[in-house]
Amino acid sequence: MQNLILENDKLRLEFDRDNGSLLSIFNKELGFDAIEYKPAASLFRITYPVIDAVTEMDIRSHALDSKNQRVSRVDMADNKRGKRLTLEYETLTSERGTFNVRVVVECELVPGGDEARFCIRLDNNDAGEVSQLYFPLISGLRRIEEGVDNFLVI
């Protein structure tokens, strides 16, 4: 299945169609992709503590990582404000089970602009609580060479 591409005159963003991971932030003017190591790609990570059923230990570091999830709905839209990609995850899963946490991520590119705007909405309809959210989680960044005038603002 092809990846999802969101682009304008200056930027090209590439997302994994299955899990929503941000695979590429390509600056067209500089010919530079900020993400070099694609296997590390993700989009968000939620820390969601759980109680281990066997040991009854509180696992505070239990993570729900977008790269291990499945996107349930994709919407690409063009409007006067620019191009927008919406990714929806109905539930989140891990080796500890399925959690009734709905996530909606939006990414928008302004026409002619060199910035991407990210927004996330969490609807926690489960018994547990979200203790941390990392978003946007941009992994596998390329090392910027000395003397190169380039930056990534998150």
Side-chain angles (χ1 to χ4, degrees):
M1 206 180 305
Q2 281 193 330
N3 291 329
L4 302 165
I5 306 295
L6 188 63
E7 69 182 311
N8 64 14
D9 295 339
K10 296 186 178 186
L11 284 179
R12 181 180 186 270
L13 304 182
E14 183 177 352
F15 297 83
D16 183 286
R17 181 177 290 279
D18 294 327
N19 64 29
S21 293
L22 180 56
L23 301 171
S24 176
I25 304 172
F26 187 78
N27 182 315
K28 293 179 177 183
E29 292 178 335
L30 299 174
F32 181 87
D33 190 347
I35 299 177
E36 180 175 50
Y37 186 66
K38 309 299 184 197
S42 199
L43 186 58
F44 64 82
R45 179 177 295 136
I46 296 170
T47 304
Y48 195 87
V50 295
I51 303 295
D52 186 281
V54 175
T55 66
E56 296 185 5
M57 290 182 63
D58 186 355
I59 303 172
R60 307 290 308 157
S61 61
H62 176 247
L64 300 168
D65 199 317
S66 64
K67 68 182 174 184
N68 300 322
Q69 307 306 316
R70 285 293 210 211
V71 173
S72 54
R73 184 180 69 85
V74 174
D75 183 52
M76 293 278 272
D78 267 333
N79 59 39
K80 60 184 172 188
R81 287 182 28 211
K83 297 178 184 229
R84 184 178 63 228
L85 170 66
T86 303
L87 303 170
E88 183 175 339
Y89 305 78
E90 281 297 323
T91 59
L92 301 179
T93 60
S94 76
E95 70 283 354
R96 302 276 178 199
T98 299
F99 302 89
N100 193 11
V101 178
R102 181 174 169 264
V103 176
V104 178
V105 171
E106 287 185 354
C107 180
E108 184 176 81
L109 292 179
V110 177
D114 60 355
E115 66 183 62
R117 297 181 184 151
F118 289 86
C119 178
I120 190 167
R121 187 176 85 219
L122 301 176
D123 296 323
N124 185 4
N125 298 305
D126 210 273
E129 76 180 46
V130 172
S131 64
Q132 294 177 330
L133 169 65
Y134 302 92
F135 175 80
L137 183 59
I138 301 174
S139 303
L141 289 174
R142 175 182 303 275
R143 182 176 179 271
I144 297 176
E145 304 294 324
E146 267 189 59
V148 174
D149 187 20
N150 191 10
F151 61 92
L152 176 64
V153 178
I154 301 170

